[in-house]
Amino acid sequence: MKDLIIITGNSGVGKSALINAYLDVFQGCLLIDGKEVFNSSILTPTQIAEYKECSRLIIDDLFLLTLNSSIWGNILEILEYRFYYAKFMLITGDLAQFTTYRTGTIKKLLTTAQLYDMNIEREVSKLMAQIYLAENHIDRSRPMKLYLMENEGGGLSCTDTELDFLPEEWNELLQEMLFFKFLEVGELQSLACDEDGNDFLSGFLPFTQAEEYLQKFKELNNLPATTKEKLNTVIESWNSPNKRKIYLGVDFYKMKERTGFKQ
């Protein structure tokens, strides 16, 4: 279920660090921190309504909340509501507690969520990359494209100025939280497909804003030389005195939907 992610792992493996990285990238998140909330006396009706309706709900250390019986009932109500309406949730907790807890709501969460085990993958940047690619269905085995767009007549039109970045070039950017922020600002969405019917995920942002990100990417030590050369091309040759009317587009190929039954 793409709208539900569960992060499991022992204490100290980095679950809270991952939550902090996620909150740094994505806007519109509300956090319920189990280490803090279980000491509260009650959740107000306003808080419950906000947790139910926010765009992304993050719950860190879910099962600490069972220590407060008055709040736990509210948490189950929130979880059930968001599950029913397929609203995004990212939850951390110990896998053993997920598997032994007998509440129907928890069972539904566990059987439908995308699970990530931080006992296995402890590097926050690599796990963030897995989560981001899965959430957006980005095919990391195919090129990324950057291109210029112009604002004409109240709409954006593509120009013939573009650069393809091969997978081995742009995949290194997946280790940087800054790259995910760049994509989030561009608001990736499915808008078109190529002549073979492959869906694209496209994002657009003002060139003046994109340029700041590209300059920072260029300074990263881990990028291949070819990637840095292409970023230089974008920054230098695409520069224009009329920057306010120029936008940067970014395209990814979208993963094809799998068909058939799991074996």
Side-chain angles (χ1 to χ4, degrees), residues 167-190:
E168 58 267 26
E169 295 171 341
W170 72 264
N171 277 341
E172 290 297 330
L173 287 168
L174 293 174
Q175 306 308 311
E176 305 294 335
M177 295 300 112
L178 189 67
F179 184 57
F180 301 130
K181 290 183 180 181
F182 167 70
L183 299 181
E184 280 302 292
V185 172
E187 299 180 352
L188 286 178
Q189 53 190 305
S190 294

Side-chain angles (χ1 to χ4, degrees), residues 94-261:
D94 181 71
L95 181 59
Q97 290 179 290
F98 273 107
T99 55
T100 58
Y101 209 83
R102 298 303 178 187
T103 302
T105 299
I106 302 299
K107 289 182 180 178
K108 286 191 291 187
L109 295 182
L110 184 61
T111 56
T112 55
Q114 175 66 55
L115 293 174
Y116 296 94
D117 186 353
M118 289 203 74
N119 290 328
I120 299 172
E121 179 54 85
R122 297 194 180 192
E123 289 189 42
V124 169
S125 61
K126 289 184 177 179
L127 191 51
M128 269 294 295
Q130 290 181 44
I131 292 172
Y132 196 93
L133 293 171
E135 272 196 56
N136 291 280
H137 303 285
I138 293 173
D139 187 346
R140 69 182 299 170
S141 68
R142 305 188 69 181
M144 172 184 75
K145 180 185 293 182
L146 294 183
Y147 52 95
L148 283 186
M149 306 191 76
E150 294 179 347
N151 190 351
E152 294 181 348
L156 293 178
S157 60
C158 292
T159 71
D160 58 1
T161 306
E162 62 182 45
L163 278 175
D164 285 330
F165 289 74
L166 299 176
E168 58 267 26
E169 295 171 341
W170 72 264
N171 277 341
E172 290 297 330
L173 287 168
L174 293 174
Q175 306 308 311
E176 305 294 335
M177 295 300 112
L178 189 67
F179 184 57
F180 301 130
K181 290 183 180 181
F182 167 70
L183 299 181
E184 280 302 292
V185 172
E187 299 180 352
L188 286 178
Q189 53 190 305
S190 294
L191 296 175
C193 59
D194 65 12
E195 62 274 10
D196 296 322
N198 297 301
D199 289 331
F200 285 122
L201 285 163
S202 302
F204 315 100
L205 60 165
F207 189 82
T208 51
Q209 188 176 19
E211 188 177 27
E212 296 177 9
Y213 284 98
L214 299 179
Q215 289 281 12
K216 292 176 181 177
F217 295 158
K218 193 179 66 171
E219 296 168 3
L220 298 174
N221 293 325
N222 66 324
L223 290 189
T226 53
T227 308
K228 292 188 177 183
E229 289 171 7
K230 289 181 178 180
L231 290 173
N232 271 326
T233 298
V234 174
I235 295 168
E236 295 173 5
S237 66
W238 294 5
N239 208 345
S240 167
N242 198 12
K243 287 183 180 179
R244 294 180 182 177
K245 292 187 177 181
I246 295 179
Y247 284 71
L248 183 76
V250 55
D251 277 352
F252 294 94
Y253 283 98
K254 188 175 179 181
M255 291 284 290
K256 291 184 177 179
E257 297 292 334
R258 295 181 180 178
T259 58
F261 297 97

